[in-house]
Amino acid sequence: GIDGPKIRNEHSQRMEKLGLPMDRVILEPRRKSNQFVLYNEIDIALDPFPCVGGTTSMDTLWMGVPFVTLAGKHFGARMGVTILTNAGLQELIAENREEYIKIAVDLATNRARLKTLRHDLREKIATSPLMNQQSFTRNMENAYREMWRIYCSRWLKV
């Protein structure tokens, strides 16, 4: 978190060096009571890389905030891709850093598109494969059966 003054100062200095306008940056301490309230202050979230947000990214969409992700090379770096694909938001997936920046800037500068995207985001997520527990469970059961079948076929060959 950024609760201590030393850490807050280090974060501020780093952001200033990167050219961020500090009059537009809000550093909030980590408090459980802020967990979902702060989403009301966010227009667009940026999925970090190479380690992505995962559950936080899901929370972001559920709270009506779209996020931009960079497709990584391994599972841990591709969770944002899976989430956005299943949410029907493939246009927010970047294949490289330049595209990541372009998608974020385009979304930030096109207020009408952002408003449209955010308008029914929670409903879109609620009706997406991300929230279809029955389908997820069936797929998981099928995966377990297939793993067991493969294991048994190898064991019986020995």
Side-chain angles (χ1 to χ4, degrees):
I2 53 168
D3 299 341
K6 181 179 180 219
I7 294 172
R8 178 180 285 275
N9 188 43
E10 288 172 4
H11 280 288
S12 296
Q13 287 177 0
R14 184 172 181 218
M15 286 186 256
E16 283 180 42
K17 283 181 187 174
L18 293 170
L20 291 171
M22 291 310 291
D23 60 326
R24 296 183 63 195
V25 173
I26 300 169
L27 296 174
E28 285 286 336
R30 181 176 284 203
R31 283 190 218 116
K32 192 148 184 72
S33 61
N34 279 345
Q35 184 175 356
F36 295 106
V37 175
L38 291 175
Y39 285 106
N40 295 319
E41 304 295 323
I42 301 169
D43 292 326
I44 305 162
L46 301 175
D47 203 16
F49 53 87
C51 299
V52 297
T55 302
T56 302
S57 299
M58 283 292 299
D59 289 347
T60 301
L61 293 179
W62 186 249
M63 295 305 293
V65 178
F67 71 89
V68 179
T69 194
L70 175 61
K73 304 274 188 258
H74 55 84
F75 172 77
R78 295 189 62 83
M79 289 172 54
V81 172
T82 299
I83 292 168
L84 289 174
T85 298
N86 282 284
L89 298 169
Q90 294 90 332
E91 71 270 18
L92 301 179
I93 301 169
E95 295 299 324
N96 56 56
R97 289 180 185 207
E98 293 75 22
E99 191 177 1
Y100 180 89
I101 293 166
K102 182 182 183 323
I103 292 169
V105 169
D106 288 349
L107 198 53
T109 57
N110 187 339
R111 301 299 289 174
R113 179 175 175 235
L114 181 59
K115 184 178 179 181
T116 300
L117 188 60
R118 291 185 58 147
H119 172 69
D120 63 349
L121 193 51
R122 181 175 279 192
E123 291 79 22
K124 189 173 191 167
I125 299 307
T127 58
S128 77
L130 292 166
M131 303 301 268
N132 187 332
Q133 295 89 353
Q134 292 82 13
S135 176
F136 176 84
T137 302
R138 271 191 308 281
N139 290 336
M140 184 66 79
E141 290 169 343
N142 290 337
Y144 287 148
R145 280 189 199 97
E146 183 63 12
M147 286 182 264
W148 182 248
R149 187 194 64 72
I150 291 169
Y151 172 80
C152 288
S153 71
R154 290 180 182 160
W155 185 79
L156 294 172
K157 287 180 183 179
V158 175

